[in-house]
Amino acid sequence: MNPTRRAEERTTYGILDRAEGIGDREDASPHNQSLKRLSAEEGISIGTLSRWRSEARAWGDLLPDGQSGPEGWSSEDKFAAAIETAALNEAELSEYCRQRGLYPEQVRVWREACARANDWDRAASRQIAQETKDDRKRIRELERELARKEKALAEAAALLLLEKRRKRSGAAGRERTNDLCP
């Protein structure tokens, strides 16, 4: 939690001491407990715990839903975990993960995803360029096919026209000879 906010709440509400006491317990971290279980253990209403969690999230603290597990964490929570653990060594990372019900490998995967997030523009540009290239190729193929079909259609129309003319002139059954001699 934000230190200046903590001081303000201590003087204003006087409830943060109780909330910090819950978070300082060694036996079970509130990070990986459901609100219902924490409410039963501490005697604090679920609504109050939910409001505290929402306020802490609004200030940027990492407090994911305990019942959802790490797979259900929001992208903001995963990003916050990646930032919080960036400077930790292996022992500190293991302790951090134990407190929150995580595996160090999950945090490493989240860090890599955060690192790749800034590369999205480049990857998206490459993908768009490839799709554009594929689209152009497909358009050229379709235009060639259309030209071939138009040429075949024109040839078929010309043959039909010639056949009609031959039928109209009555020369369908006889062989043509020199038009000057009857």
Side-chain angles (χ1 to χ4, degrees):
M1 291 184 143
N2 186 333
T4 57
R5 188 175 137 255
R6 284 184 176 174
E8 290 171 4
E9 284 189 0
R10 230 182 237 121
T11 58
T12 307
Y13 302 109
I15 58 172
L16 194 57
D17 289 328
R18 180 75 189 264
E20 284 179 343
I22 294 170
D24 292 339
R25 290 186 358 209
E26 289 293 324
D27 58 335
S29 171
H31 292 286
N32 56 5
Q33 291 184 26
S34 69
L35 290 179
K36 186 175 182 180
R37 180 176 171 199
L38 195 57
S39 173
E41 288 178 5
E42 297 297 325
I44 301 171
S45 74
I46 293 175
T48 301
L49 291 173
S50 178
R51 189 183 77 238
W52 288 354
R53 179 175 281 169
S54 296
E55 289 173 359
R57 280 184 175 163
W59 284 94
D61 291 336
L62 174 63
L63 292 173
D65 292 327
Q67 64 269 18
S68 66
E71 293 80 26
W73 284 21
S74 69
S75 59
E76 292 91 12
D77 290 334
K78 291 177 183 180
F79 179 65
I83 290 174
E84 286 179 7
T85 59
L88 300 181
N89 62 29
E90 283 297 317
E92 293 168 336
L93 177 62
S94 296
E95 177 63 28
Y96 177 90
C97 291
R98 266 192 302 280
Q99 288 177 347
R100 286 161 177 80
L102 299 172
Y103 292 104
E105 187 56 34
Q106 287 172 314
V107 175
R108 286 187 195 98
V109 168
W110 296 344
R111 280 186 203 159
E112 290 172 13
C114 291
R116 285 190 312 265
N118 285 332
D119 202 24
W120 180 84
D121 273 347
R122 193 174 316 138
S125 295
R126 266 188 257 127
Q127 182 180 0
I128 290 170
Q130 182 62 39
E131 289 174 358
T132 303
K133 182 179 175 183
D134 292 343
D135 289 344
R136 284 188 196 132
K137 183 177 178 182
R138 178 75 177 140
I139 289 169
R140 277 194 307 269
E141 289 172 1
L142 290 172
E143 286 174 345
R144 277 195 296 266
E145 184 179 349
L146 181 62
R148 182 184 58 80
K149 287 181 178 181
E150 285 178 344
K151 186 177 178 182
L153 184 61
E155 185 178 336
L159 288 174
L160 284 174
L161 186 64
L162 287 175
E163 183 68 27
K164 269 186 178 178
R165 284 185 185 166
R166 203 174 331 147
K167 283 183 180 180
R168 262 193 258 149
S169 68
R174 60 187 166 150
E175 208 171 300
R176 289 194 94 167
T177 59
N178 193 348
D179 288 339
L180 297 176
C181 298

